[in-house]
């Protein structure tokens, strides 16, 4: 069994990370009845004898003594990390695995990347090496950050190069929160574009997430839970976002529900590697199957169901609804409609009481309405994990390599261009040592090259559509000729 | 003589467990429809082939379990131990921490050489436990990374180190609508390598077994366990002991050798398929009665019309009139066409097996012209029933069964290869574009050879 290390960078990264660890503990607590430190737990947690002073005290088997998250927390401000360390999860984090500063990055990618990058490079390397040493077989780094700010965006992407050089064999999985168009950080387009170049060059796989989409999903659930009709029927602990009472009382902080969704995605992604199932899928299989060309490694994710009704019986129709929802634009975690775009590859990771026949039935059912690229018409990767998430009897995570990411990138580039044309706020960046206008132009051309790749693939889709249209026309013509009497 | 089984990857290990379980429970089945002495001889023969004895009387499967990650092997070992009736050897498994990532190149070029010594040592130890070795039965899938890539590597090693023993590979053909996106690449690389190092490829298609579960076994929510159990039943019906010759009362000693002798007359043609009749849920057995004539009529039609099960057989397909060449060269697209055989083996188990009439299988029209039916067709009969089926028949066939699926896989792989998608994942680990091209060439040659029968 392998281990993974989570690196949470910046305010957003750490808030999501915090939700992730909370959920991970709850999930393992639900499965691990005997309190034994098993291989599944070891994928994200170390077992430490709290009485031993210093760095030793790692216990590899036997009863759980004290669990420590395999995490590195990085932030150039102290607020968020301090809150975590004072909250209910304080014992889960090893205080030696933190890197903080007080001044913050001022929403400036250049400060995060160049200034803090070089200042903290040694420290970062040291913490990473330590966490790697604690792993028997380190398989993957999960980096969580946002694109629009300064620390998560700048320092987070600086990390990628460090990881690539220092640990070339370990996968780099990045969960990136992209700024929505109503983002209040004016320079977020600059930060995002500069970060994108790093993601394209140094990440193995990127899961783009859009705050607006998360917000829309939460609003819909909010509506259902609080509307009274469906509200009572929702099982209390089965909301992917947060508990039903919490949503009803609206006590929780605004981003918590959204962060919970992202945390759930990460948990589901790794569930088949941690728990058993009839068709396992390891983390290295994600990259192998979903990345046909090295640069095209952006995966659109969707998670269903988002809540479970208190209905005990799950008739097949309910199960099938779960599959249909995974492909609807309302369940995607970025603004995208995969049905209208081209699929390069699609992975379905199912958890819980679902069998291969259910999976096959639904693939057959949904296939005709989806467009797959000509060289990958049967481009499905599937996995079945027996352990469902807490509070649910089954769930589905769909990861799609689909050209529907293009609009997100196009919009980003447009917002960037609007700012850059006027050279707005550029001096904040250029005054940082090592930054010059070339950095911006390079970053934007990297993104343009990526968009071009997607354009080229979309062009093949047009052929498919034309073929389809031609076929339909021919069919209709033939049908008309048949109707003419005397023929 | 004994058979050493090598279970590779998740698929190989999951199936391997069901196979041993089926073999064991059949051999200890009380309803053999034969004499007690007969039953005991059957049990002893099965045991010699597949199990070795342990001190406290629990038989140990003659198997080596290999996987590049631990979850499945752990599950398999504990399932066997839990049954209390048989188990796997404690030290017969080889495990690593990180899987092969569905990457044939990783399984073949990285895991293979890295773990060659350890795995071959385990196999050597298992071989030493046998009084005499008939050969190896290697269970693997084609779609993944370990079963396919490491499986190909190990088979080659077995060919080098145990050149006098036979190698039969049980290959699982993936579902047509993907389980793994790069399954077509992994499949062609596996098949082309195995064709050079294996003696026979026994193929099971997931789609076909799935249909059997749905239509014949009436299972509503089919799981991989269900599929594997049907598979195990089919394999058991072939590998359980049979009498060595017509009228003899001794069980044959060299099952693999005899299978190869009967079914693989020419190294260009190595792909075998199994058809079984009847297949039904266990609780229906008591209510069914069959005649050999009925069963064999269906089985013969299944053979010539390329049906995978006894339901939905196309009765229109007929053998070409003898003496005349088959109507046009069998092209892959033409449907339905007559399935020409190179060699067939029918195994009959149960009541009055000695009296069943198999003339229908001896018609020259069923076979290609370069073998006489007397050489191309054999039958093994045993009185002892299999898994409480009063009468059951298995057909192991070397015929055009797999031409269409093979051609489909090659076509899809070629389509993907032309766009160069995913190739970087393979070249990263030393499998170059030439290796792909070589595989395509070999497989297209095989398709052509089978088509031209």
């Amino acid at each position: 069994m392998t281990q993974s290390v989570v690196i949470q960078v910046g305010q957003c990264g750490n808030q999501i990370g915090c939700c992730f660890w909370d959920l991970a503990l709850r999930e393992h607590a639900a499965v691990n009845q005997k309190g034994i430190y098993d291989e599944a737990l070891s994928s994200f947690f170390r077992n430490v004898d709290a009485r031993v002073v210093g760095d030793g005290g790692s216990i590899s088997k036997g009863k759980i003594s004290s669990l420590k998250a395999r995490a590195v927390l990085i932030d150039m401000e102290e607020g968020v990390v301090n809150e975590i360390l004072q909250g209910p999860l304080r014992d889960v984090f090893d205080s030696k695995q933190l890197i903080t500063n007080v001044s913050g990055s001022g929403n400036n990618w250049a400060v995060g990347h160049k200034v803090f990058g070089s200042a903290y490079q040694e420290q970062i390397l040291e913490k990473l090496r330590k966490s790697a040493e604690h792993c028997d077989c380190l398989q993957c780094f999960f980096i969580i950050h946002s694109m629009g700010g300064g620390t998560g965006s700048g320092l987070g992407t600086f990390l990628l190069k460090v990881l690539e050089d220092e640990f070339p064999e370990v996968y780099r999985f990045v969960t990136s929160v992209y700024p929505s168009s109503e983002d209040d950080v004016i320079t977020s387009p600059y930060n995002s574009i500069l970060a994108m170049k790093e993601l394209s060059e140094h990440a193995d796989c990127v899961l783009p997430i859009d705050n607006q989409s998360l917000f829309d999903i939460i609003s819909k659930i909010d509506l259902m839970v609080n509307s009274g009709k469906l509200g009572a029927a929702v099982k209390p602990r089965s909301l992917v976002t947060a508990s039903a009472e919490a949503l009803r009382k609206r006590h929780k902080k605004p981003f918590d529900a959204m962060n919970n969704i992202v945390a759930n995605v990460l948990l589901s992604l790794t569930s088949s590697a941690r728990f058993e199932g009839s068709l396992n899928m390891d983390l290295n299989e994600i990259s192998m199957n979903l990345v046909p060309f090295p640069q095209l490694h952006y995966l659109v994710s969707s998670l269903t169901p988002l809540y479970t009704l208190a209905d005990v019986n799950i008739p097949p129709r309910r199960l099938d609804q779960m599959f249909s929802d995974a492909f609807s634009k309302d369940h995607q975690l970025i603004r995208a409609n995969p049905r209208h775009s081209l699929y390069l590859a699609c992975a379905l990771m199912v958890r819980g009481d679902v069998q291969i026949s259910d999976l096959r039935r639904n693939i057959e059912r949904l296939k005709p309405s989806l467009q797959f690229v000509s060289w990958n018409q049967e481009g499905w990767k599937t996995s079945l994990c027996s352990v469902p998430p807490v509070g649910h009897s089954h769930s589905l995570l769909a990861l799609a390599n689909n050209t529907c990411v293009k609009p997100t990138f196009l919009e980003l580039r447009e917002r960037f261009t609007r700012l850059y044309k006027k050279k707005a706020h550029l001096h904040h960046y250029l005054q940082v040592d090592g930054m010059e206008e070339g950095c911006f132009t390079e970053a934007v051309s990297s993104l343009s090259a990526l968009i071009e790749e997607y354009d080229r693939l979309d062009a093949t889709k047009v052929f498919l559509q034309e073929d389809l249209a031609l076929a339909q026309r021919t069919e209709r013509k033939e049908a008309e000729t048949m109707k003419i009497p005397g023929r | 003589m004994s058979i050493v089984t090598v279970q590779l990857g998740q698929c190989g290990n999951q199936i391997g467990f069901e196979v041993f379980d089926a073999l064991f429970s059949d051999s200890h089945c009380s309803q053999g429809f034969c004499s007690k002495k007969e039953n005991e001889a059957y049990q002893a023969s099965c045991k010699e082939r597949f199990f070795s004895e342990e001190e406290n009387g629990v038989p140990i499967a003659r198997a080596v379990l290999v996987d590049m990650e631990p979850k499945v092997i752990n599950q398999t070992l504990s399932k066997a131990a839990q049954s209390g009736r048989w188990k796997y050897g404690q030290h017969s498994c080889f495990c690593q921490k990180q899987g092969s990532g569905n990457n044939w190149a990783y399984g073949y070029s990285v895991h293979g050489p890295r773990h060659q010594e350890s795995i071959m040592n385990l196999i050597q130890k298992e071989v030493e436990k046998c009084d005499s070795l008939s050969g190896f039965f290697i269970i693997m899938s084609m779609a993944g990374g370990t079963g396919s890539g490491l499986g190909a590597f190990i088979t080659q090693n077995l060919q080098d180190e145990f050149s006098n023993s036979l190698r039969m590979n049980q290959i699982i053909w993936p579902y047509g609508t993907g389980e793994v996106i790069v399954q077509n690449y992994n499949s062609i690389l596996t098949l082309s390598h195995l064709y050079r190092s294996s003696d026979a490829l026994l193929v099971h298609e997931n789609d076909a077994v799935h249909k059997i579960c749905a239509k014949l076994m009436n299972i509503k929510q089919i799981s991989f366990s269900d599929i594997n159990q049907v598979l195990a039943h089919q394999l058991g019906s072939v590998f359980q002991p049979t009498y060595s010759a017509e009228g003899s009362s001794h069980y044959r000693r060299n099952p693999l050798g005899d299978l190869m002798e009967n079914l693989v007359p020419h190294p260009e043609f190595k792909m075998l398929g199994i058809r079984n009749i009847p297949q039904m849920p266990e609780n229906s057995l008591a209510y069914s009665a069959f005649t050999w004539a009925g069963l064999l009529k269906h089985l013969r039609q299944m053979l010539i019309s390329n049906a995978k099960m006894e339901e939905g057989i196309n009765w229109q397909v007929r053998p070409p009139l003898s003496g005349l060449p088959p109507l046009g060269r069998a092209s892959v697209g033409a449907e339905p066409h007559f399935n020409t055989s190179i060699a067939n083996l029918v195994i009959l188990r149960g009541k009055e097996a000695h009296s069943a009439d198999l003339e229908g299988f001896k018609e020259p029209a069923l076979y290609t012209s370069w073998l006489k039916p007397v050489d191309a067709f054999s039958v093994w009969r045993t009185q002892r029933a299999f898994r409480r089926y009063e009468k059951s028949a298995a057909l192991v066939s070397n015929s055009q069964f797999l031409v269409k699926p093979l051609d489909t896989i090659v076509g899809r792989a070629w389509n993907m290869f032309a766009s160069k998608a995913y190739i970087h994942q393979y070249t990263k680990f030393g499998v170059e574009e030439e290796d792909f091209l070589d595989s395509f060439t070999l497989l297209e040659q095989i398709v052509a050879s089978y088509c031209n029968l």
Side-chain angles (χ1 to χ4, degrees):
Chain A
M1 190 87 80
T2 56
Q3 289 82 42
S4 302
V5 171
V6 175
I7 309 176
Q8 24 194 100
V9 191
Q11 176 179 15
C12 174
N14 276 288
Q15 283 174 339
I16 295 179
C18 190
C19 286
F20 171 79
W21 291 111
D22 177 54
L23 269 180
L25 280 171
R26 280 201 270 144
E27 185 169 272
H28 280 281
V31 174
N32 191 331
Q33 304 288 343
K34 299 189 194 141
I36 303 278
Y37 179 68
D38 59 9
E39 299 228 327
L41 258 178
S42 90
S43 60
F44 280 115
F45 295 95
R46 288 166 51 212
N47 191 20
V48 169
D49 187 346
R51 296 165 298 173
V52 174
V53 177
D55 197 40
S58 270
I59 314 172
S60 52
K61 286 197 201 317
K63 283 230 147 233
I64 296 174
S65 172
S66 169
L67 289 175
K68 292 280 179 220
R70 296 190 193 278
V72 177
L73 289 70
I74 305 179
D75 202 356
M76 295 296 101
E77 283 176 331
E78 289 187 315
V80 179
V81 174
N82 276 344
E83 218 186 293
I84 296 177
L85 291 180
Q86 282 156 16
L89 289 177
R90 60 180 169 276
D91 289 325
V92 170
F93 295 107
D94 185 347
S95 55
K96 295 188 241 50
Q97 292 297 87
L98 311 172
I99 300 179
T100 54
N101 194 310
V102 285
S103 41
S105 303
N107 284 325
N108 187 330
W109 183 91
V111 172
H113 195 93
K114 307 269 182 193
V115 175
F116 286 128
S118 50
Y120 284 96
Q121 181 163 9
E122 270 316 307
Q123 256 196 66
I124 291 175
L125 262 176
E126 194 209 307
K127 312 281 181 201
L128 290 173
R129 283 195 197 119
K130 238 314 116 65
S131 56
E133 270 164 37
H134 285 139
C135 295
D136 211 1
C137 179
L138 176 60
Q139 186 179 43
C140 189
F141 284 111
F142 284 100
I143 297 111
I144 315 179
H145 73 149
S146 72
M147 300 282 278
T151 304
S153 175
L155 189 52
T157 49
F158 174 80
L159 257 180
L160 286 178
K161 188 78 181 60
V162 171
L163 290 171
E164 191 178 32
D165 292 334
E166 186 73 15
F167 306 94
E169 312 240 315
V170 181
Y171 282 91
R172 296 171 294 285
F173 243 93
V174 189
T175 305
S176 306
V177 179
Y178 279 66
S180 43
S181 41
E182 293 87 43
D183 197 74
D184 51 3
V185 176
I186 303 177
T187 49
S188 62
Y190 285 162
N191 297 330
S192 306
I193 299 270
L194 288 163
M196 273 286 298
K197 175 163 174 291
E198 308 298 312
L199 289 182
S200 291
E201 288 174 16
H202 304 299
D204 284 313
C205 236
V206 179
L207 290 174
I209 314 265
D210 185 323
N211 264 339
Q212 189 60 46
S213 303
L214 291 178
F215 186 76
D216 288 341
I217 291 177
I218 302 293
S219 311
K220 283 203 194 75
I221 297 179
D222 228 4
L223 213 59
M224 302 212 89
V225 169
N226 287 304
S227 71
K229 231 177 26 174
L230 210 54
V234 174
K235 266 172 42 179
R237 288 180 74 221
S238 76
L239 279 176
V240 159
T241 58
S243 69
E245 310 107 65
L247 270 190
R248 264 191 282 270
K249 294 185 199 157
R250 296 174 204 255
H251 274 179
K252 291 230 166 186
K253 291 185 289 247
F255 284 106
D256 258 355
M258 291 158 63
N259 294 340
N260 257 305
I261 299 183
V262 185
N264 267 290
V265 168
L266 287 173
L267 272 182
S268 286
L269 199 67
T270 55
S271 60
S272 187
R274 287 175 292 137
F275 301 119
E276 56 177 38
S278 61
L279 191 58
N280 294 335
M281 177 155 145
D282 210 347
L283 292 168
N284 47 12
E285 294 173 31
I286 296 181
S287 183
M288 178 68 190
N289 284 287
L290 294 173
V291 183
F293 301 98
Q295 334 81 279
L296 302 179
H297 56 242
Y298 294 86
L299 306 178
V300 179
S301 49
S302 70
L303 196 61
T304 62
L306 296 163
Y307 56 82
T308 306
L309 300 182
D311 213 322
V312 179
N313 267 326
I314 320 285
R317 238 184 64 230
R318 188 62 53 75
L319 194 63
D320 288 6
Q321 186 62 40
M322 175 177 84
F323 282 92
S324 302
D325 284 342
F327 292 93
S328 90
K329 66 173 168 56
D330 294 334
H331 279 78
Q332 308 300 319
L333 300 188
I334 64 165
R335 306 279 282 264
N337 191 346
R339 276 186 194 257
H340 289 168
S341 308
L342 192 66
Y343 274 92
L344 303 182
C346 185
L348 295 176
M349 307 179 69
V350 187
R351 302 179 65 173
D353 185 20
V354 182
Q355 301 300 343
I356 185 75
S357 55
D358 301 311
L359 194 50
R360 305 223 59 75
R361 181 181 66 245
N362 280 287
I363 291 181
E364 294 300 317
R365 190 172 61 86
L366 293 164
K367 223 171 48 149
S369 60
L370 305 169
Q371 295 177 75
F372 274 81
V373 72
S374 63
W375 42 260
N376 205 2
Q377 295 272 293
E378 287 79 34
W380 298 93
K381 165 72 180 160
T382 54
S383 80
L384 293 165
C385 171
S386 343
V387 177
V390 178
H392 293 256
S393 59
H394 51 271
S395 81
L396 169 64
L397 169 68
L399 291 176
N401 194 338
N402 187 310
T403 57
C404 65
V405 277
K406 204 174 62 172
T408 305
F409 297 155
L410 281 170
E411 208 199 289
L412 206 58
R413 186 174 64 177
E414 208 192 290
R415 278 158 49 199
F416 171 89
T417 313
R418 257 184 273 139
L419 269 184
Y420 193 64
K421 261 204 315 227
K422 297 184 261 167
K423 306 279 187 234
H425 302 278
L426 212 51
H427 57 284
H428 290 301
Y429 291 78
L430 296 176
Q431 71 194 16
V432 172
D433 215 7
M435 282 299 287
E436 35 175 55
E437 285 208 27
C439 298
F440 286 87
T441 46
E442 269 175 34
V444 105
S445 36
S446 156
L447 181 58
S448 295
L450 185 64
I451 292 175
E452 244 179 69
E453 290 280 338
Y454 283 111
D455 275 335
R456 240 178 290 149
L457 288 163
D458 269 335
T460 65
K461 180 179 67 136
V462 173
F463 274 126
L464 287 173
Q465 280 182 340
E466 278 183 355
D467 280 337
L468 200 64
L470 185 62
Q472 285 171 346
R473 252 182 293 143
T474 324
E475 252 178 51
R476 250 179 291 140
K477 277 205 191 122
E478 285 179 317
E480 292 299 334
T481 16
M482 299 295 268
K483 283 192 207 152
I484 298 173
R487 285 265 181 155
Chain B
M1 295 173 92
S2 311
I3 300 177
V4 168
T5 302
V6 183
Q7 313 180 172
L8 288 149
Q10 172 167 25
C11 178
N13 280 291
Q14 283 176 191
I15 291 178
F17 167 76
E18 299 291 353
V19 172
F20 280 105
D21 208 44
L23 292 170
F24 188 88
S25 63
D26 170 54
S27 71
H28 284 258
C29 181
S30 51
Q31 239 177 323
F33 292 103
C34 62
S35 70
K36 185 158 171 254
K37 193 165 138 230
E38 198 53 61
N39 219 10
E40 277 168 13
Y42 186 81
Q43 250 180 43
S45 176
C46 169
K47 186 127 151 270
E48 192 206 352
R49 285 182 190 192
F50 297 109
F51 296 92
S52 60
E53 188 72 73
E54 158 90 327
E55 288 99 52
N56 48 10
V58 178
I60 303 188
R62 296 188 192 277
V64 175
L65 295 74
V66 179
D67 201 356
M68 292 297 104
E69 64 104 5
K71 293 195 298 287
V72 181
I73 288 194
N74 287 339
Q75 240 189 327
T76 311
L77 287 176
S78 66
K79 272 210 287 204
Q82 263 168 24
S83 72
R85 298 167 295 150
W86 64 274
K87 60 184 191 180
Y88 284 104
Q90 254 180 323
H91 304 288
S92 307
C93 19
F94 181 80
C95 227
Q96 285 297 282
K97 313 232 172 74
Q98 203 177 166
S100 305
N102 286 166
N103 192 331
W104 192 92
Y106 201 77
Y108 186 85
S109 311
V110 177
H111 282 309
R114 204 181 274 176
H115 307 300
Q116 180 179 4
E117 217 184 298
S118 315
I119 298 177
M120 294 310 284
N121 273 341
L122 277 184
I123 296 180
Q124 178 69 36
K125 282 213 190 73
E126 200 58 51
V127 169
E128 280 162 15
K129 287 196 222 156
C130 306
D131 275 337
S132 81
L133 180 67
S134 170
F136 299 97
F137 186 57
I138 302 134
I139 313 182
M140 53 197 265
S141 73
M142 290 201 308
T146 300
S148 68
L150 184 59
F153 185 83
I154 297 291
T155 310
Q156 242 168 267
N157 266 271
L158 290 174
Q159 186 182 36
D160 295 331
E161 284 198 32
F162 298 92
S163 47
N164 289 329
S165 305
L166 296 164
R167 292 159 300 286
M168 175 173 273
N169 290 65
Q170 162 67 37
I171 316 189
I172 304 303
W173 213 266
Y175 283 100
T177 29
E179 296 170 32
V180 169
I181 292 176
V182 289
Q183 62 186 42
N184 298 310
Y185 280 168
N186 293 339
S187 301
I188 57 146
L189 290 165
T190 306
L191 286 170
S192 61
H193 278 78
L194 285 183
Y195 230 82
R196 297 182 210 123
S197 54
S198 172
D199 293 308
L201 307 177
L202 194 52
V203 176
H204 269 104
E205 299 167 74
N206 266 349
D207 278 305
V209 184
H210 189 106
K211 280 210 192 79
I212 294 179
C213 287
K215 298 266 160 65
L216 300 181
M217 309 300 272
N218 285 326
I219 304 175
K220 288 282 174 300
Q221 214 190 6
I222 301 170
S223 67
F224 272 117
S225 273
D226 298 318
I227 292 185
N228 294 343
Q229 279 166 12
V230 168
L231 235 148
H233 176 93
Q234 293 199 337
L235 287 173
S237 71
V238 173
F239 284 105
Q240 285 291 50
T242 52
Y243 289 138
S244 53
E246 298 270 4
S248 134
S249 53
H250 292 294
Y251 287 108
R252 64 183 64 239
R253 300 217 59 228
N254 190 355
L256 283 184
D258 294 339
L259 272 168
M260 307 288 189
E261 204 187 300
N262 288 323
L263 291 167
V264 189
H266 189 295
E268 182 83 359
F269 301 93
K270 285 184 183 166
M271 309 236 279
L272 311 177
I274 302 184
R275 300 291 183 267
N276 221 316
I277 196 171
Q279 284 219 268
M280 62 180 62
E282 235 184 73
N283 46 21
S284 309
L285 276 176
Y287 308 105
S288 332
F290 297 95
T291 60
W292 283 119
L295 288 176
L296 292 170
K297 183 163 165 222
H298 277 76
L299 196 60
R300 179 177 175 277
Q301 194 61 22
M302 277 161 71
L303 167 65
I304 62 185
S305 68
N306 200 3
K308 322 274 179 164
M309 57 181 183
E310 66 229 49
E311 222 179 275
I313 301 178
N314 184 349
W315 291 95
Q316 307 291 355
V317 180
R318 297 218 183 288
L321 298 170
S322 36
L324 297 168
L327 297 151
R329 284 277 174 246
S331 66
V332 184
E335 193 99 79
H337 90 275
F338 172 76
N339 185 37
T340 309
S341 305
I342 294 174
N344 286 313
L345 166 67
V346 170
I347 304 174
L348 302 176
R349 299 179 187 271
K351 212 160 127 184
E352 289 152 26
H354 54 270
S355 66
D357 172 14
L358 283 132
E359 286 311 306
F361 284 90
K362 296 186 189 162
E363 276 178 54
L366 265 59
Y367 299 94
T368 182
S369 54
W370 39 269
L371 267 185
K372 295 198 285 283
V374 65
D375 297 320
F377 177 70
S378 1
V379 55
W380 296 352
R381 305 173 199 255
T382 306
Q383 212 183 338
R384 208 276 194 179
F386 178 63
R387 297 189 104 191
R388 298 199 280 134
Y389 281 72
E390 193 196 54
K391 301 187 178 80
S392 67
L395 165 70
V396 188
S397 174
N398 187 345
S399 66
Q400 294 174 320
F401 270 158
L402 290 157
V403 166
K404 189 142 183 286
L406 181 57
D407 194 64
T408 307
I409 287 191
V410 172
R412 287 184 185 157
W414 181 255
N415 202 3
M416 200 181 262
F417 183 72
S419 71
K420 299 281 177 278
Y422 301 103
I423 298 294
H424 69 285
Q425 311 268 18
Y426 290 84
T427 51
K428 221 188 328 183
F429 299 111
V431 172
E432 304 295 335
E433 292 189 18
E434 278 98 68
D435 299 308
F436 278 90
L437 289 171
D438 286 342
S439 303
F440 283 119
T441 315
L442 188 101
L443 292 178
E444 271 155 19
Q445 171 66 42
I446 295 171
V447 170
S449 305
Y450 269 100
C451 274
N452 287 332
L453 283 179

